[in-house]
Each structure stands twice: as C-alpha cells, then as structure tokens.
CSV table of all heavy atoms in Angstrom, one decimal:
chain,number,residue,atom,x,y,z
A,1,ALA,N,-2.3,-4.4,-2.9
A,1,ALA,CA,-3.0,-4.9,-4.0
A,1,ALA,C,-2.6,-4.3,-5.4
A,1,ALA,O,-2.1,-3.2,-5.4
A,1,ALA,CB,-4.5,-4.8,-3.9
A,2,SER,N,-2.7,-5.1,-6.5
A,2,SER,CA,-2.4,-4.6,-7.8
A,2,SER,C,-3.2,-3.4,-8.2
A,2,SER,O,-2.8,-2.4,-8.8
A,2,SER,CB,-2.6,-5.6,-8.8
A,2,SER,OG,-1.7,-6.7,-8.7
A,3,GLU,N,-4.5,-3.4,-7.7
A,3,GLU,CA,-5.5,-2.3,-8.0
A,3,GLU,C,-6.1,-1.7,-6.8
A,3,GLU,O,-6.4,-2.4,-5.8
A,3,GLU,CB,-6.5,-2.7,-9.0
A,3,GLU,CG,-5.9,-3.1,-10.4
A,3,GLU,CD,-7.1,-3.4,-11.4
A,3,GLU,OE1,-8.1,-2.7,-11.3
A,3,GLU,OE2,-6.8,-4.2,-12.3
A,4,THR,N,-6.4,-0.4,-6.9
A,4,THR,CA,-7.1,0.3,-5.7
A,4,THR,C,-8.5,-0.3,-5.6
A,4,THR,O,-9.1,-0.1,-4.5
A,4,THR,CB,-7.1,1.8,-6.0
A,4,THR,OG1,-7.8,2.1,-7.2
A,4,THR,CG2,-5.6,2.4,-6.1
A,5,TYR,N,-9.1,-0.8,-6.7
A,5,TYR,CA,-10.5,-1.3,-6.5
A,5,TYR,C,-10.5,-2.4,-5.6
A,5,TYR,O,-11.5,-2.5,-4.8
A,5,TYR,CB,-10.9,-1.8,-7.9
A,5,TYR,CG,-12.3,-2.4,-7.9
A,5,TYR,CD1,-13.4,-1.5,-8.1
A,5,TYR,CD2,-12.6,-3.8,-7.7
A,5,TYR,CE1,-14.7,-2.1,-8.0
A,5,TYR,CE2,-13.8,-4.3,-7.8
A,5,TYR,CZ,-14.9,-3.4,-7.9
A,5,TYR,OH,-16.2,-4.0,-7.9
A,6,ALA,N,-9.5,-3.3,-5.6
A,6,ALA,CA,-9.4,-4.3,-4.6
A,6,ALA,C,-9.3,-3.9,-3.1
A,6,ALA,O,-10.0,-4.3,-2.2
A,6,ALA,CB,-8.2,-5.3,-4.8
A,7,LEU,N,-8.5,-2.7,-3.0
A,7,LEU,CA,-8.5,-2.1,-1.6
A,7,LEU,C,-9.8,-1.6,-1.2
A,7,LEU,O,-10.3,-1.7,-0.1
A,7,LEU,CB,-7.4,-1.0,-1.7
A,7,LEU,CG,-6.0,-1.4,-1.9
A,7,LEU,CD1,-5.2,-0.1,-2.0
A,7,LEU,CD2,-5.4,-2.3,-1.0
A,8,ASP,N,-10.5,-1.0,-2.1
A,8,ASP,CA,-11.9,-0.4,-1.8
A,8,ASP,C,-12.8,-1.6,-1.3
A,8,ASP,O,-13.6,-1.4,-0.4
A,8,ASP,CB,-12.5,0.2,-3.1
A,8,ASP,CG,-11.7,1.4,-3.5
A,8,ASP,OD1,-11.0,2.1,-2.7
A,8,ASP,OD2,-11.9,1.8,-4.7
A,9,GLN,N,-12.7,-2.8,-2.0
A,9,GLN,CA,-13.7,-3.8,-1.7
A,9,GLN,C,-13.4,-4.5,-0.3
A,9,GLN,O,-14.3,-5.0,0.2
A,9,GLN,CB,-13.6,-4.9,-2.8
A,9,GLN,CG,-14.1,-4.4,-4.2
A,9,GLN,CD,-15.4,-3.8,-4.1
A,9,GLN,OE1,-16.4,-4.4,-3.8
A,9,GLN,NE2,-15.5,-2.5,-4.4
A,10,ILE,N,-12.2,-4.4,0.1
A,10,ILE,CA,-11.9,-4.9,1.5
A,10,ILE,C,-12.0,-3.8,2.5
A,10,ILE,O,-11.7,-4.1,3.8
A,10,ILE,CB,-10.5,-5.6,1.5
A,10,ILE,CG1,-9.3,-4.7,1.3
A,10,ILE,CG2,-10.6,-6.8,0.6
A,10,ILE,CD1,-8.0,-5.4,1.4
A,11,GLY,N,-12.3,-2.6,2.2
A,11,GLY,CA,-12.5,-1.5,3.1
A,11,GLY,C,-11.3,-0.9,3.5
A,11,GLY,O,-11.2,-0.2,4.6
A,12,ALA,N,-10.2,-1.0,2.7
A,12,ALA,CA,-9.0,-0.4,3.1
A,12,ALA,C,-8.9,1.1,2.5
A,12,ALA,O,-9.3,1.3,1.3
A,12,ALA,CB,-7.8,-1.2,2.6
A,13,LYS,N,-8.3,2.0,3.2
A,13,LYS,CA,-8.2,3.4,2.8
A,13,LYS,C,-6.8,3.4,2.0
A,13,LYS,O,-5.8,3.1,2.4
A,13,LYS,CB,-8.1,4.3,3.9
A,13,LYS,CG,-8.0,5.8,3.5
A,13,LYS,CD,-7.9,6.8,4.7
A,13,LYS,CE,-7.6,8.2,4.2
A,13,LYS,NZ,-7.6,9.1,5.4
A,14,TYR,N,-7.0,3.9,0.7
A,14,TYR,CA,-5.8,4.0,-0.1
A,14,TYR,C,-4.8,5.1,0.5
A,14,TYR,O,-5.2,6.1,0.9
A,14,TYR,CB,-6.2,4.5,-1.5
A,14,TYR,CG,-5.1,4.9,-2.4
A,14,TYR,CD1,-4.2,4.0,-3.0
A,14,TYR,CD2,-4.8,6.3,-2.7
A,14,TYR,CE1,-3.2,4.4,-3.7
A,14,TYR,CE2,-3.8,6.7,-3.5
A,14,TYR,CZ,-3.0,5.8,-4.0
A,14,TYR,OH,-1.9,6.2,-4.9
A,15,LEU,N,-3.6,4.7,0.6
A,15,LEU,CA,-2.5,5.5,1.1
A,15,LEU,C,-1.6,6.1,0.0
A,15,LEU,O,-1.3,7.3,-0.1
A,15,LEU,CB,-1.7,4.8,2.2
A,15,LEU,CG,-2.4,4.3,3.5
A,15,LEU,CD1,-1.4,3.6,4.3
A,15,LEU,CD2,-3.0,5.5,4.2
A,16,ASP,N,-1.1,5.1,-0.8
A,16,ASP,CA,-0.1,5.5,-1.8
A,16,ASP,C,0.1,4.3,-2.7
A,16,ASP,O,-0.2,3.2,-2.4
A,16,ASP,CB,1.2,6.0,-1.2
A,16,ASP,CG,2.1,6.8,-2.1
A,16,ASP,OD1,1.7,7.1,-3.2
A,16,ASP,OD2,3.2,7.1,-1.6
A,17,ASP,N,0.9,4.6,-3.8
A,17,ASP,CA,1.4,3.5,-4.7
A,17,ASP,C,2.8,3.2,-4.2
A,17,ASP,O,3.5,4.0,-3.7
A,17,ASP,CB,1.4,3.9,-6.1
A,17,ASP,CG,0.0,4.2,-6.7
A,17,ASP,OD1,-1.0,3.5,-6.2
A,17,ASP,OD2,0.0,5.0,-7.7
A,18,VAL,N,3.1,1.9,-4.3
A,18,VAL,CA,4.5,1.5,-4.2
A,18,VAL,C,5.2,2.1,-5.3
A,18,VAL,O,4.8,2.1,-6.5
A,18,VAL,CB,4.7,0.0,-4.3
A,18,VAL,CG1,6.2,-0.3,-4.2
A,18,VAL,CG2,4.0,-0.7,-3.1
A,19,LYS,N,6.2,2.9,-5.1
A,19,LYS,CA,6.9,3.7,-6.1
A,19,LYS,C,7.8,2.8,-7.0
A,19,LYS,O,8.3,1.8,-6.5
A,19,LYS,CB,7.8,4.8,-5.5
A,19,LYS,CG,7.1,5.7,-4.5
A,19,LYS,CD,6.0,6.5,-5.2
A,19,LYS,CE,5.3,7.5,-4.3
A,19,LYS,NZ,4.0,8.1,-4.8
A,20,PRO,N,8.1,3.3,-8.2
A,20,PRO,CA,9.0,2.4,-9.0
A,20,PRO,C,10.4,2.3,-8.3
A,20,PRO,O,10.9,3.3,-7.8
A,20,PRO,CB,9.2,3.3,-10.3
A,20,PRO,CG,7.8,4.0,-10.4
A,20,PRO,CD,7.5,4.3,-8.9
A,21,GLY,N,10.9,1.1,-8.2
A,21,GLY,CA,12.2,0.9,-7.5
A,21,GLY,C,12.1,0.9,-6.0
A,21,GLY,O,13.1,0.8,-5.3
A,22,GLU,N,10.9,0.8,-5.4
A,22,GLU,CA,10.7,0.8,-4.0
A,22,GLU,C,10.4,-0.5,-3.4
A,22,GLU,O,9.7,-1.3,-4.0
A,22,GLU,CB,9.6,1.8,-3.6
A,22,GLU,CG,9.4,2.0,-2.1
A,22,GLU,CD,8.3,3.0,-1.7
A,22,GLU,OE1,7.3,3.0,-2.4
A,22,GLU,OE2,8.5,3.9,-0.8
A,23,MET,N,10.8,-0.8,-2.2
A,23,MET,CA,10.4,-1.9,-1.3
A,23,MET,C,9.6,-1.4,-0.2
A,23,MET,O,10.0,-0.5,0.5
A,23,MET,CB,11.5,-2.8,-0.9
A,23,MET,CG,11.2,-3.9,-0.1
A,23,MET,SD,12.6,-5.1,0.3
A,23,MET,CE,13.4,-4.1,1.6
A,24,VAL,N,8.5,-2.1,0.2
A,24,VAL,CA,7.6,-1.7,1.4
A,24,VAL,C,7.6,-2.9,2.2
A,24,VAL,O,7.3,-4.1,1.8
A,24,VAL,CB,6.2,-1.3,0.9
A,24,VAL,CG1,5.3,-1.1,2.0
A,24,VAL,CG2,6.4,0.0,0.0
A,25,ILE,N,7.8,-2.7,3.5
A,25,ILE,CA,7.7,-3.8,4.5
A,25,ILE,C,6.6,-3.4,5.5
A,25,ILE,O,6.6,-2.4,6.1
A,25,ILE,CB,9.0,-4.0,5.3
A,25,ILE,CG1,10.2,-4.2,4.4
A,25,ILE,CG2,8.8,-5.1,6.3
A,25,ILE,CD1,11.5,-4.2,5.0
A,26,ALA,N,5.6,-4.2,5.6
A,26,ALA,CA,4.4,-4.0,6.4
A,26,ALA,C,4.2,-5.0,7.5
A,26,ALA,O,4.3,-6.3,7.3
A,26,ALA,CB,3.1,-4.0,5.6
A,27,THR,N,4.2,-4.5,8.8
A,27,THR,CA,3.6,-5.4,9.9
A,27,THR,C,2.2,-4.7,10.2
A,27,THR,O,1.8,-3.8,9.6
A,27,THR,CB,4.5,-5.3,11.1
A,27,THR,OG1,4.6,-4.0,11.6
A,27,THR,CG2,5.9,-5.7,10.7
A,28,ALA,N,1.6,-5.4,11.2
A,28,ALA,CA,0.2,-4.8,11.5
A,28,ALA,C,0.2,-3.4,12.0
A,28,ALA,O,-0.7,-2.6,11.9
A,28,ALA,CB,-0.4,-5.8,12.5
A,29,ASP,N,1.4,-3.0,12.6
A,29,ASP,CA,1.6,-1.7,13.3
A,29,ASP,C,2.4,-0.7,12.5
A,29,ASP,O,2.4,0.5,12.8
A,29,ASP,CB,2.2,-1.9,14.7
A,29,ASP,CG,1.3,-2.7,15.6
A,29,ASP,OD1,0.1,-2.3,15.7
A,29,ASP,OD2,1.8,-3.7,16.1
A,30,GLN,N,3.1,-1.2,11.5
A,30,GLN,CA,4.1,-0.3,10.9
A,30,GLN,C,4.3,-0.5,9.5
A,30,GLN,O,4.2,-1.7,9.0
A,30,GLN,CB,5.5,-0.4,11.7
A,30,GLN,CG,6.6,0.5,11.3
A,30,GLN,CD,7.8,0.3,12.1
A,30,GLN,OE1,8.1,-0.8,12.5
A,30,GLN,NE2,8.6,1.4,12.3
A,31,LEU,N,4.6,0.6,8.8
A,31,LEU,CA,5.0,0.5,7.3
A,31,LEU,C,6.3,1.1,7.1
A,31,LEU,O,6.6,2.3,7.4
A,31,LEU,CB,3.9,1.2,6.6
A,31,LEU,CG,3.9,1.0,5.1
A,31,LEU,CD1,3.4,-0.4,4.6
A,31,LEU,CD2,3.0,2.0,4.3
A,32,VAL,N,7.2,0.3,6.6
A,32,VAL,CA,8.7,0.8,6.4
A,32,VAL,C,8.8,0.9,4.8
A,32,VAL,O,8.6,-0.1,4.1
A,32,VAL,CB,9.6,0.0,7.1
A,32,VAL,CG1,11.1,0.5,6.8
A,32,VAL,CG2,9.4,0.0,8.5
A,33,ARG,N,9.4,2.0,4.3
A,33,ARG,CA,9.5,2.1,2.9
A,33,ARG,C,11.0,2.3,2.6
A,33,ARG,O,11.6,3.1,3.3
A,33,ARG,CB,8.7,3.3,2.4
A,33,ARG,CG,7.1,3.2,2.7
A,33,ARG,CD,6.3,4.2,2.2
A,33,ARG,NE,6.2,4.1,0.7
A,33,ARG,CZ,5.2,4.8,0.1
A,33,ARG,NH1,4.4,5.6,0.7
A,33,ARG,NH2,5.1,4.7,-1.3
A,34,LYS,N,11.5,1.8,1.6
A,34,LYS,CA,12.9,1.9,1.2
A,34,LYS,C,13.1,1.9,-0.3
A,34,LYS,O,12.6,1.0,-1.0
A,34,LYS,CB,13.8,0.7,1.8
A,34,LYS,CG,15.3,0.8,1.5
A,34,LYS,CD,16.0,-0.3,2.2
A,34,LYS,CE,17.5,-0.2,1.9
A,34,LYS,NZ,18.3,-1.2,2.6
C-alpha cells in the first residue's frame, strides 16, 4: 500500500518499504525482492 495506515487497517504487519529502484514480487507464500 501507499501508506502504512492502510496496512494497519487491514491488519497487516508492516515489514518494510519498497526501496527506491526496487521491484517486489509477492505470492501468498513468498516475497522476492530485486
């Protein structure tokens, strides 16, 4: 989400920000960062 507030409202635990220049691929079981 654009903001951590939205993560809070859906009950998701904040992990990290997508870094500048980074791509993140998420499946239900895995998070891959490049």
Side-chain angles (χ1 to χ4, degrees):
S2 291
E3 294 190 33
T4 62
Y5 180 84
L7 298 178
D8 294 339
Q9 296 308 298
I10 63 179
K13 180 182 178 182
Y14 168 75
L15 295 179
D16 199 2
D17 295 333
V18 177
K19 305 300 184 186
E22 183 182 39
M23 179 173 77
V24 174
I25 304 171
T27 63
D29 296 305
Q30 189 178 27
L31 193 70
V32 177
R33 309 181 68 166
K34 183 176 182 179

